Amino acid sequence: MAAAGAHRPGPLKQQNKAHKGGKHSGASQRRAGGRVSVKAQPRRRLRDLSRVDRRHQALQLRRQRKEAVLAEKRGLGSRDGPPHLVVVVPLHCRAAAQDALRLLRSQDAALVRMEQGRAGGFALLCPRLKQRWRFATAQAGDLHTVLDLAKVADSLLFILDPAEGWDDAGEYCLSCLFAQGLPTFALAVPGGTDLPPKKRIDAKKKLSKAIEKRFPEARLFPLNTEQESLLLLRHLSTQKQRHLAFRARRAHLLAHAAEFVPAQEGDLVGTLKVSGFVRGQSLNVNSLVHVVGHGDFQMSQVDAPPDPLSLNPRVSKGQKRSQDMEVQDDSVNGTDEMEEDVKVLMKADPSKQESLQSEVVPDPMEGEQTWPTEEELQEAEASLKANRRVVKVPKGTSKYQAAWIVDDEEGSEKDDDNEDDDIDDDMMEEAVSQEGESSGEEEEPAEEECETMTISECLRDEQYDEKVEEDEQMLERYKQERMDEMFPDEVDTPRDVPARVRFQKYRGLKSFRTSPWDPKENLPRDYARIFQFQDFSRTRKHLFRQIEKEETEGASVGWYVTLHLCNVPVSVMESFKEGKPLVLFSLLPHEQKMSVLNFLVRRHASNSDPVKAKEELIFHCGFRRFRTSPLFSQHTSADKHKLERFLRPDAAMVVTVYAPITFPPASVLLFKQRSNGMHDLIATGSLLSVDPDRIVIKRLVLSGHPFKIFTKMAVVRYMFFNREDVMWFKPVELRTKWGRRGHIKEPLDGLMIPTFRSLCRG
């Protein structure tokens, strides 16, 4: 009888799911009766939504975004929102900007209010469309005015020439606007009706081709009739708004009226009352305000005067007769508006108000430690005696640099191969003897001959002399830039000053990339006056999250308010009376404090003049404008960055300056001022970081001429000119342009010019 074996299932056996007992999810939901627990759902469960729930969630998000865009469109220019600010920029010297503005003011159903003191500025109120616009004019030649108005403008209206579109000045203005950040824009072409029909069609085709390159998918509006101007106004009010990052998170306004009240009679500092419509974010009276081009100021109070551009103003019976004229003039400084029905919205709280302190007052005792005990002092003294080495160093040498110095008593490095060393020594003696024999025949190099010319004083022209002097300086800069490009970081060793004294602030690095360098080492005392964040990116994210979630207490967007700015110089009011715009931005926390800002920039194609480091440049950074002398450095991912002496035209570079803190994103434009006052755009970019610990190292290369080259040694001349300098730089590693590395072995005093012998390895 055969033994029965156990049954083994095959590979195709069905595997059933195990029973999930004990959870009773359905029973628990029925017992809950539809109630939801207070505990938040985990992210994993939120992700595991059904297809219907995911579709419903996407639909809700889409509706929310659509409603936000519609609310922004309806609020801008409406009764509850600020007027639609349109900046008119003619891009050609023959562009008929005044004709275009005259057409826009000729609307039958609109009320026009002129602004005195500002050429071409007016407000347009249309109760039938329930819209209101404010137009400001800026000439393309006045670049700072165009850029300042573009910072706060809702729309830019570019006026083109029907034949050429824009000229060189208009192209330059467009380059600056694109680099700063272009808000919503529209293109209008007034005129062109006097051309023959055939030439008119050809000019339109040519203009359309030029527009496609600069403004892809842009619409061109002819502006010759009242109907066309109405179409342009509707397009301005209904098109989608572009958001500029640096102004979306800050409250800002363009001054509609201003009044200066001196602190004392005849005083040059006082209170400036600025009236305008709040835009962007709510304005808190305890925050600081930055006036573009003038500085940061505190607010004492915020008032709410009557709205001068209301769509349905309350008019008394005596004023109804004067409404037959559609054009109404405002006062020069708006003082009449401020005095009628002014309500105080809020006053500053000294305990909550932001401080104007921009620099730290360093405490000299901050770095002091507690006095050590006697045992610690004895241990430290014993360790110093054991490791003490007396070295004679020049004045001003740091401890780190002194550690590199080698004593004369220390022997030179031993060669691995003694036979090669003996052969090299014999050949070296032969080289010395040859040089000694030839030294008697050679003469000392003569000085360069100079030629002196006498010029009659009557022929001298001051303007010509200034022009020649500028050309000579520019030629010298071109030569320096060319030499720095051909021989980067190479300098000549001075003969009148010892090299160990001239270069005592420098140190030898074995590897620029891997050698350690402490960013806090040997900092100047003034460096303690700037501010530094423990984690800048974290602080930035926290501030932006607060702006998105929390509602700021203060004047809401669209309110017409009067800000009382304290301790303002009278020059701000004088520039406003001259017709220049007065633009205000509220500051985020810490933005009034000084720190080290790093910008990533590229040279602009329109400028090729050499720009040397530490030259004074004009910066447009976000909403700020300031002058400073920057440093240039390479943009790498390493922890050390090499200083560049000139702004390179072929690579992106980092510009480092002392400036007030600005939270990115923010665009930056660099201008250089000519002797005639004109400004040239030299570079554009963006704010990279706010980091005082970014190490920028100035690199120097001392080069010498090889006199004799042997198997493993070489005789090098013209690098140093005395024995002490050779011994001073003996610890520093040498390298050739072909990658060979070595060390200084010994100086040779037998030659007429001090020479040293170096040991090179491949």
Side-chain angles (χ1 to χ4, degrees), residues 389 391 393 397-406 728:
R389 182 166 60 95
V391 181
V393 298
T397 306
S398 65
K399 294 181 180 179
Y400 184 89
Q401 294 165 332
W404 284 84
I405 301 174
V406 180
W728 173 272

Side-chain angles (χ1 to χ4, degrees), residues 402-417:
W404 284 84
I405 301 174
V406 180
D407 293 337
D408 295 338
E409 298 176 358
E410 296 184 9
S412 60
E413 297 182 359
K414 294 183 179 180
D415 192 6
D416 296 336
D417 194 348

Side-chain angles (χ1 to χ4, degrees), residues 106 120 135 196 249 274 279 425 444 456 510 639 671 678 711 724:
S106 63
F135 290 87
R249 297 183 176 93
V274 183
R279 303 171 185 271
D425 289 341
E444 293 184 2
S456 177
K510 186 174 183 180
D639 60 340
F671 293 91
M678 299 294 292
T711 306
E724 290 77 10

Side-chain angles (χ1 to χ4, degrees), residues 11 13 47 198 220-221 350 381 398 510 593 687 698 747:
K13 183 182 183 299
R47 286 198 301 266
K198 188 175 181 180
L220 191 62
F221 288 87
E381 188 175 355
S398 65
K510 186 174 183 180
K593 300 173 182 176
L687 177 60
K698 186 177 182 180

Side-chain angles (χ1 to χ4, degrees), residues 599 614-619 626-630 656-659:
F599 304 99
K614 298 183 181 180
E615 281 190 38
E616 188 181 59
L617 301 177
I618 301 171
F619 282 71
F626 53 88
R627 292 172 179 262
T628 186
S629 301
T656 303
V657 298
Y658 286 111

